[in-house]
Amino acid sequence: MHDTVIRGGTVIDGTGNAGFVADVAISNGVITHVGAVTGPAREVIDAQGAIVTPGFIDVHTHYDGQFLWDDRLDPSFSHGVTTAIGGNCGVGFAPVRPEHRTALIELMEGVEEIPGVVLDEGLDWNWTSFPDYLNRLAERQYTMDIASHITHAPLRVFVMGERALRHEAATADDVAQMAGLVREAMDAGAVGFSGARLIEHLSSKGDNVPGTFADDDELLTIAKAMGESGHGTFQIIPLGGVGAVMYDQAGRDARRAEHDRIVRIAEVSGRPLTYSLVQFNSDSTDWQMMVEESERAAAAGLPITPQVGARGVGAMTMLDGYHIFMLRASYHEVAHLPLAERVAALRNPDRRAAILAEQSDPALVAQDLKLAAFIDTLRGRIGGIFPMTLPLNYEPAAEGKLEVLAAQAGVPMEEYLYDHYCAGDGSNVCASHALNFAGGGLDATYEMLRRDITASGLADGGAHMKMICDASMPTFMLSFWGRDRSRGPGLPLEHIVRKLSAKNAELYGLDDRGRIAPGMRADINVIDHQRLELHMPRMTHDLPMGSARLLQGSTGYIATMVGGCITRRNDEETGARPGRLIRAGQAEAALA
């Protein structure tokens, strides 16, 4: 008897080949047959009219801390993700000495905007080495499988102490120690090494991340140590990766030199390398140059994979999150109120007039200069933000901009924005796109996604908690790129599913998953594609210490399975926690 049979769905198997109607049989957590399945089953899932895909593999998350306090792992869980890889962008929490725990929290808080109070409450620090950290994760159970890179910043601080925080050059002995610890981490099951050279990444104290300015010898020696393990992927955020969003543009020569560095790392490691790639306004075709360089390297036999997002990158603003009014004195007087009471107070004509007449209060600015600078940035971009309405449109035309809507209404932009935030129950959202939206659309993103060499990633699950919810990317890709796009061509579902599953499995050597085929792990999604949609992002307060984060739900997931166990049924979780830590390179990584 089969454990489960999925009957009559259109199987999109992850290979990129055309979908086909078939049954899928599962026993003992493994796919046993794809085709016409006979015989009884303990459970039958009717998939007629639905698509059946591999579970999605999210290779770029920041659940490093959340792994310790949360077993659900939303927002990724609500979007068909069955494997999540943490330890990205060079920041993490292992290895660590007690005296440097605060510094690592400050790095994660600044770079990935995970509140320090949340991390301080949620981390138990029952580890010192990276293998210790993996052992701690292995004690827990999740809605999905998890894995992690070892990351450069904690590694450098562990070896060099305060010298790493001062960005001093590593000595030969320092480099040798780091290489040894990387090899130790790889032997314990790390899926790779993560580094970052992005100068825009700053700690909550405004300091650069240790490793940002590391010499090539340090990076290459670490890469060699990783490669000697026989497995692993080198993940890196390259210099100049966000253009002139914060600082002067690095320039084409610097970017080509950065790609040359990427090539050297891949050569020395002998392992796959993936780097983050987005489009930015200050050089809107930089991405094309980088992809072409990677294609040349791949043609020469180097497994270099640009990792790209699927939509505009920026910030979502709302009353319960960030917005341009939050440091004004008359707003601050009611900022502590629950949302419903706050909205009522904000609708008071006298308070409304006062807030619209004010600027940020210097006393409040002095309390948080980083926040004040961000609000100034939002104000500078006010004309180009997009008020969001249902059904959600992530490629709005120019007439959807705030400056156009306010002009049509005959009111100042700040007044229009204020009233949008305060309408309804006060949960209205606006989107601001700083990256992947040059020219006012997603044509460049389409071209990046279309290329076979690129991988789908950069979802940042667990990070930027009050600003974005890009972990909803799988649902977005299937619904927008695979069905709804109106301002340009879409992408075949088979191509999208491959990007979300088999392509990422191949990138990380996860040979037991990513395809619908006999013998593969039964990580599977059954999706009503015609009904699939994203919900409006909403702010929740379910983190440690009651801190807030954005979540974005979905409709259309008939079932999500991890190792043959149904974790989600008809858009609701089942309570099952079959997910475990994957230890890369070790045989026991297969089935929960």
Side-chain angles (χ1 to χ4, degrees):
M1 176 179 286
H2 308 291
D3 288 340
T4 305
V5 173
I6 302 169
R7 291 209 180 274
T10 298
V11 175
I12 301 178
D13 64 6
T15 64
N17 295 332
F20 55 93
V21 176
D23 304 329
V24 178
I26 299 159
S27 289
N28 298 318
V30 174
I31 298 169
T32 56
H33 189 77
V34 180
V37 174
T38 59
R42 293 181 177 86
E43 173 149 10
V44 175
I45 298 174
D46 181 3
Q48 291 190 55
I51 61 174
V52 181
T53 77
F56 304 138
I57 300 170
D58 191 339
V59 299
H60 192 112
T61 82
H62 291 282
Y63 293 129
D64 311 54
Q66 194 169 331
F67 285 151
L68 273 299
W69 69 73
D70 178 28
D71 58 9
R72 178 179 170 123
L73 299 181
D74 251 339
S76 296
F77 172 60
S78 295
H79 301 282
V81 173
T82 56
T83 303
I85 297 177
N88 284 281
C89 297
V91 290
F93 298 114
V96 62
R97 304 184 195 280
E99 62 267 29
H100 295 131
R101 291 171 181 171
T102 298
L104 296 190
I105 286 176
E106 289 168 350
L107 288 168
M108 188 68 78
E109 180 177 28
V111 173
E112 304 302 340
E113 294 170 308
I114 304 171
V117 293
V118 170
L119 295 170
D120 192 53
E121 176 72 16
L123 297 176
D124 58 28
W125 297 110
N126 287 333
W127 64 87
T128 298
S129 69
F130 191 83
D132 292 341
Y133 173 71
L134 291 187
N135 290 341
R136 181 70 182 88
L137 299 185
E139 296 171 357
R140 295 178 52 79
Q141 303 173 12
Y142 306 93
T143 58
M144 64 191 70
D145 281 354
I146 68 166
S148 183
H149 306 91
I150 181 172
T151 56
H152 199 178
L155 173 69
R156 207 169 199 265
V157 173
F158 188 82
V159 170
M160 297 175 59
E162 296 299 316
R163 291 184 295 122
L165 296 170
R166 294 194 298 268
H167 307 291
E168 294 183 16
T171 66
D173 183 60
D174 293 332
V175 172
Q177 287 187 58
M178 282 188 263
L181 290 169
V182 167
R183 183 57 192 271
E184 176 187 65
M186 299 305 296
D187 291 344
V191 292
F193 173 85
S194 172
R197 291 172 42 76
L198 197 67
I199 61 173
E200 290 81 1
H201 275 173
L202 303 172
S203 76
S204 58
K205 295 172 63 176
D207 299 324
N208 289 108
V209 177
T212 302
F213 310 108
D215 294 339
D216 281 4
D217 177 65
E218 181 177 334
L219 292 173
L220 295 175
T221 302
I222 287 171
K224 183 174 184 292
M226 187 197 80
E228 286 172 347
S229 72
H231 70 274
T233 299
F234 197 108
Q235 185 268 337
I236 192 166
I237 313 294
L239 176 71
V242 295
V245 167
M246 288 177 63
Y247 303 118
D248 290 340
Q249 168 69 25
R252 283 291 178 96
D253 289 344
R255 290 286 281 166
R256 284 196 178 90
E258 193 69 358
H259 198 281
D260 290 344
R261 179 174 288 107
I262 286 170
V263 167
R264 292 195 298 275
I265 291 170
E267 288 173 336
V268 167
S269 72
R271 298 297 308 165
L273 181 148
T274 183
Y275 67 91
S276 300
L277 184 66
V278 295
Q279 182 200 38
F280 39 79
N281 293 347
S282 55
D283 185 350
S284 62
T285 59
D286 166 272
W287 70 268
Q288 187 171 359
M289 179 271 293
M290 294 291 281
V291 166
E292 289 170 354
E293 292 288 331
S294 294
E295 288 174 336
R296 276 191 285 272
L302 291 176
I304 294 175
T305 301
Q307 188 179 140
V308 302
R311 65 190 186 200
V313 180
M316 293 184 181
T317 62
M318 64 188 73
L319 287 180
D320 255 358
Y322 297 112
H323 55 85
I324 65 171
F325 308 109
M326 61 192 304
L327 294 184
R328 300 185 185 187
S330 297
Y331 178 85
H332 190 68
E333 290 172 357
V334 297
H336 66 284
L337 295 175
L339 181 61
E341 296 178 33
R342 197 180 340 140
V343 169
L346 294 173
R347 288 175 181 162
N348 177 282
D350 292 337
R351 186 171 298 280
R352 178 179 180 274
I355 292 172
L356 289 171
E358 293 171 355
Q359 301 294 319
S360 292
D361 185 330
L364 297 175
V365 168
Q367 292 174 19
D368 195 334
L369 295 176
K370 184 177 179 180
L371 174 61
F374 178 61
I375 289 173
D376 285 344
T377 299
L378 289 178
R379 286 194 68 203
R381 297 176 181 164
I382 186 173
I385 69 173
F386 296 94
M388 298 181 75
T389 57
L390 292 173
L392 295 173
N393 181 5
Y394 281 88
E395 193 181 22
E399 53 263 31
K401 289 182 179 180
L402 183 71
E403 61 185 359
V404 176
L405 297 172
Q408 291 173 345
V411 298
M413 289 188 290
E414 287 197 3
E415 183 176 328
Y416 188 97
L417 179 61
Y418 185 99
D419 290 340
H420 175 72
Y421 286 147
C422 294
D425 63 1
S427 63
N428 281 351
V429 181
C430 288
S432 173
H433 303 307
L435 301 166
N436 279 355
F437 214 74
L442 294 173
D443 289 342
T445 302
Y446 166 79
E447 290 295 333
M448 284 188 269
L449 288 169
R450 184 180 63 82
R451 306 285 184 108
D452 288 337
I453 195 171
T454 62
S456 172
L458 309 187
D460 267 350
H464 310 291
M465 289 181 161
K466 292 177 65 176
M467 189 179 299
I468 64 171
C469 193
D470 286 350
S472 64
M473 208 75 78
T475 304
F476 170 79
M477 289 181 70
L478 291 166
S479 58
F480 176 83
W481 290 111
R483 189 189 64 204
D484 293 341
R485 192 183 188 215
S486 61
R487 293 182 58 198
L491 293 164
L493 279 177
E494 292 84 354
H495 182 83
I496 295 168
V497 170
R498 171 164 168 74
K499 291 281 187 186
L500 292 169
S501 56
K503 177 74 174 181
N504 286 344
E506 293 161 8
L507 178 60
Y508 277 87
L510 301 175
D511 298 333
D512 64 341
R513 65 195 69 203
R515 291 182 290 118
I516 303 287
M520 300 298 287
R521 178 179 168 86
D523 291 354
I524 296 174
N525 285 307
V526 182
I527 302 169
D528 184 342
H529 185 243
Q530 291 308 307
R531 198 168 57 90
L532 186 67
E533 66 178 4
L534 286 170
H535 300 172
M536 184 69 76
R538 59 184 176 84
M539 195 68 71
T540 63
H541 294 79
D542 60 351
L543 293 174
M545 304 298 290
S547 293
R549 61 171 175 161
L550 273 173
L551 293 178
Q552 186 171 30
S554 64
T555 297
Y557 287 88
I558 296 169
T560 297
M561 305 179 76
V562 173
C565 180
I566 298 175
T567 59
R568 194 169 184 82
R569 190 193 302 269
N570 297 324
D571 301 314
E572 299 291 337
E573 71 167 305
T574 65
R577 298 293 187 266
R580 303 291 189 273
L581 172 72
I582 299 170
R583 292 186 186 268
Q586 298 187 17
E588 63 267 25
L591 293 175

